[in-house]
Amino acid sequence: MPASGGNSYTADNLIILDGHQGEHKHMRHQRQSLAGSSPRSTRLTRRVLTAATVLSIGILGTACGSDSVEDNTELGSSSSSSGGVADATAAVSKATVVPASIAVTEPITSPIPTGKRIAYVSCGVPACNAQAEIATEAGAVLGWQVTTIQATSAPADIQAAMQQVVRDGYDGVMYAGFAQESFRRELAELQAKNVPVVAVSTDDKVGDGITAIVRPSSDGVASGTLGAQYIIADSDGKANIGLINLPAYKSVGILTDAFKGTVETQCPDCSYSQEDFPNTVFSKGDGPARIVAFLRANPKIDWLFLSNDALAVGLPAALKSAGLADKVQIGGAIGGTTNLAMIKEGQQAFTVPTPLVDVVWQQTDAMARAFANQPVEQSMKPTPLIVWNQKTIPADISSFPPAVPTVREDFTTLWGK
């Protein structure tokens, strides 16, 4: 792993590999034909800049997150086209404001023990390894040694990694995306030894050996909703959307369902056609070719939404070769450094990123509170909900940037360091 001060987080292919196989669906909702329509990024910028007149609607939590997922998803259920566009524009306006501070506000008042040995169990994809690197950096502030233990999405590999954690006597455990049924026995052993376990991106609940959960899988509802609202606002409520789903991953499916629900309730003049890709799309590298074939089969599509925009890697060249580069705009969720570069270059319109840096520092905060015998509920507040486009993306994308620019300083202050 890179040294803790390296900050070189290449969060590409950010997928939580939960092994859940979803249903294959192809759906289309009718609207007016938009063949030949042109990009509308300038229109969205104008709409966002003037959205102050509708912000009092209160349709979205603050940029630092609301108190619940439900608050983030009640984003204007107007059935009229004009009302849906206004609600969507206001939501995008809120989400493009840079968060001023983290959601966690209570300092840790008891001493945080130093010298702890923490295991970060990685799911094996680049983003999970990036999370482990960030945990190494955050742990160093507290005088901890964070060691990465590699696993995959396979239950046997997860169990083997957790067995290693128990066998090697780590003081704390952090991980992302795994379901506890794969390692219940190991969780029970860790609980018996009073070893705190802090998870990210899981549907599991606190208890039975899990100390805290930061950014549960259900937070994908808010991301999917915001992704749909960006397209609704930019298209003035008249988008013909191609939706690419990855049903093998439950967390991605949650995001996709929220996207569809928002289009259906807020944009009656929009349509979408859904295509489900297999979980082999990344290993085979055939995502761009599949997307080109999908677009050729659905020539009216003018917006493409990728439920995991790691699928956009290599896509601009494929679209250009197919003569489709100027016919469709690309949006997505989750994000990676490659996507951020594409946004800078105008090849991708926007992403609703998972704030990787913010999430892991908050995950470390939960571990610190557990060691200090303080309540961990403070650490489970929602992480930032943001959208990045060419105008709002952070200037430095050499590594994956935080949503809250002061996240490191804010947590260091709360920890008394």
Side-chain angles (χ1 to χ4, degrees):
M1 306 296 295
S4 61
N7 299 344
S8 56
Y9 319 131
T10 59
D12 289 325
N13 295 331
L14 178 51
I15 304 175
I16 300 307
L17 300 173
D18 50 36
H20 177 83
Q21 182 66 42
E23 296 180 356
H24 183 83
K25 299 179 181 178
H26 292 274
M27 303 182 66
R28 176 175 292 275
H29 288 245
Q30 298 302 316
R31 65 154 184 87
Q32 297 173 347
S33 172
L34 289 178
S37 59
S38 59
R40 304 181 181 87
S41 298
T42 303
R43 174 182 293 176
L44 176 57
T45 300
R46 291 198 300 267
R47 296 185 69 89
V48 167
L49 291 175
T50 60
T53 58
V54 291
L55 291 184
S56 60
I57 299 172
I59 59 174
L60 185 67
T62 64
C64 291
S66 69
D67 291 336
S68 68
V69 172
E70 286 76 12
D71 288 342
N72 277 339
T73 59
E74 292 175 1
L75 296 168
S77 58
S78 170
S79 61
S80 70
S81 178
S82 59
V85 172
D87 290 353
T89 301
V92 174
S93 178
K94 280 181 173 286
T96 52
V97 175
V98 178
S101 61
I102 59 177
V104 182
T105 56
E106 294 181 10
I108 299 178
T109 55
S110 300
I112 304 172
T114 59
K116 294 294 184 180
R117 296 172 57 247
I118 310 298
Y120 203 104
V121 183
S122 172
C123 71
V125 301
C128 287
N129 292 334
Q131 287 174 299
E133 294 175 27
I134 299 166
T136 299
E137 177 195 354
V141 174
L142 296 167
W144 300 347
Q145 178 185 350
V146 179
T147 300
T148 303
I149 297 178
Q150 291 289 348
T152 69
S153 62
D157 290 343
I158 298 169
Q159 185 178 45
M162 292 299 180
Q163 287 173 348
Q164 181 181 342
V165 170
V166 174
R167 183 174 61 250
D168 292 348
Y170 284 95
D171 301 308
V173 186
M174 296 193 285
Y175 67 90
F178 303 133
Q180 67 184 44
E181 60 257 27
S182 298
F183 54 100
R184 287 187 184 277
R185 184 177 65 184
E186 290 73 26
L187 272 176
E189 293 182 59
L190 293 168
Q191 185 177 26
K193 295 179 180 180
N194 294 316
V195 175
V197 176
V198 182
V200 167
S201 299
T202 179
D203 281 340
D204 294 334
K205 306 298 181 184
V206 171
D208 296 327
I210 299 177
T211 308
I213 296 174
V214 178
R215 197 175 177 91
S217 295
S218 56
D219 278 18
V221 173
S223 296
T225 298
L226 184 57
Q229 289 180 313
Y230 190 101
I231 295 173
I232 293 169
D234 186 72
S235 68
D236 201 21
K238 295 179 175 64
N240 194 337
I241 306 164
L243 175 59
I244 307 298
N245 184 36
L246 294 163
Y249 308 119
K250 186 175 181 180
S251 56
V252 174
I254 290 171
L255 187 153
T256 300
D257 287 344
F259 180 95
K260 293 188 293 188
T262 303
V263 172
E264 291 165 3
T265 57
Q266 294 192 27
C267 196
D269 292 331
C270 292
S271 71
Y272 65 83
S273 299
Q274 179 175 332
E275 183 77 358
D276 290 350
F277 282 5
N279 60 0
T280 58
V281 66
F282 294 108
S283 60
K284 291 185 175 180
D286 60 352
R290 285 177 173 270
I291 291 173
V292 166
F294 171 63
L295 292 174
R296 282 177 170 162
N298 298 273
K300 292 184 179 180
I301 288 174
D302 50 24
W303 262 104
L304 190 65
F305 184 79
L306 310 176
S307 58
N308 184 305
D309 56 9
L311 290 164
V313 177
L315 183 56
L319 292 178
K320 183 177 180 180
S321 178
L324 298 172
D326 297 328
K327 295 182 179 180
V328 62
Q329 295 195 79
I330 302 171
I334 301 177
T337 49
T338 298
N339 300 104
L340 303 188
M342 289 170 58
I343 291 172
K344 287 269 190 180
E345 296 166 5
Q347 296 174 329
Q348 180 171 337
F350 75 94
T351 186
V352 182
T354 296
L356 208 63
V357 177
D358 309 69
V359 167
V360 177
W361 276 79
Q362 195 161 319
Q363 189 179 19
T364 307
D365 180 77
M367 183 68 68
R369 291 176 193 274
F371 283 136
N373 296 313
Q374 291 196 208
V376 297
E377 288 76 13
Q378 180 77 193
S379 306
M380 294 192 290
K381 289 185 174 182
T383 50
L385 178 64
I386 57 174
V387 62
W388 285 335
N389 59 21
Q390 199 170 36
K391 291 185 176 294
T392 63
I393 194 171
D396 184 4
I397 59 168
S398 57
S399 62
F400 199 79
V404 180
T406 59
V407 62
R408 297 172 176 84
E409 295 84 353
D410 289 351
F411 276 113
T412 300
T413 299
L414 291 180
W415 299 342
K417 300 295 182 178

